[in-house]
Amino acid sequence: MTWVNSLEDHLPIIVMSHVPLHANRGDNAGAWTWTRALNAASERHDIIFLWGHNHTVERRGDGKATERANYRKLPGETLIVQSWDVDEAGKTVLKRGDDLVTQAETLGFIYMNAGYITNGVGSVLTFSDENENGLWDHLAVRRYALDEEEADPSTPWEYELREAG
């Protein structure tokens, strides 16, 4: 937050993480902290969070629905993130499996799957200046994949950015 608050511009910020924020595998204990920090940063900046990692979960039938439901979330949508609990001694405790602690958070930023090279899927982000004033104001995302069911590069997902001046 110190770094974000020191910025004098409003350019988009891209965060790339190997591990996603959404709760599923029990291995992203920092998700709640990061989600809250990114939500605060999104008050002044367009934030795009790109994740991967769960390709092995997606290959199993039980994980596929969760992963696909979290491919792309826009500001204002809800994300279920992993949180933590505190034991009797006041120590932070990470729980897994059926004891997983989660928190519903309303996103202030764009959250999307970057793709899985293992599964032959990737995303291309293109920033542009639609109103030709020298500032990025538009983001188009195209998803490519070896499997046609996973991709549609001819129909990009589009998002209007703040004027990044």
Side-chain angles (χ1 to χ4, degrees):
M1 289 309 305
T2 301
W3 172 76
V4 167
N5 290 333
S6 75
L7 299 176
E8 295 188 19
D9 61 52
H10 295 286
L11 292 169
I13 297 171
I14 299 174
V15 178
M16 296 179 286
S17 175
H18 180 68
V19 178
L21 297 174
H22 64 273
N24 190 355
R25 294 169 43 125
D27 59 357
N28 51 1
W32 186 65
T33 301
W34 273 97
T35 302
R36 293 186 57 148
L38 292 170
N39 274 342
S42 72
E43 292 175 14
R44 293 185 52 220
H45 299 270
D46 287 299
I47 309 286
I48 299 108
F49 185 98
L50 303 170
W51 60 273
H53 183 62
N54 288 4
H55 53 88
T56 52
V57 174
E58 186 172 286
R59 288 182 181 162
R60 297 191 318 250
D62 60 336
K64 197 169 205 170
T66 299
E67 295 311 299
R68 287 184 181 213
N70 290 295
Y71 272 173
R72 182 174 56 222
K73 298 271 188 180
L74 296 175
E77 294 186 55
T78 301
L79 187 68
I80 305 300
V81 299
Q82 184 174 340
S83 188
W84 57 83
D85 209 348
V86 178
D87 67 14
E88 300 82 36
K91 271 189 132 171
T92 300
V93 178
L94 170 62
K95 296 187 175 185
R96 294 180 181 269
D98 293 337
D99 292 331
L100 187 66
V101 178
T102 61
Q103 179 76 33
E105 291 290 330
T106 301
L107 296 178
F109 56 93
I110 298 168
Y111 179 77
M112 63 178 287
N113 173 256
Y116 306 124
I117 298 302
T118 305
N119 293 357
V121 179
S123 299
V124 175
L125 284 68
T126 306
F127 294 91
S128 59
D129 176 11
E130 296 284 312
N131 62 11
E132 299 180 356
N133 68 351
L135 302 172
W136 290 339
D137 55 22
H138 186 82
L139 169 64
V141 180
R142 289 178 172 80
R143 188 170 172 88
Y144 292 88
L146 297 174
D147 180 352
E148 300 232 1
E149 176 187 334
E150 298 288 338
D152 189 1
S154 63
T155 310
W157 164 71
E158 313 226 13
Y159 182 77
E160 296 306 314
L161 300 170
R162 300 169 215 208
E163 296 261 326

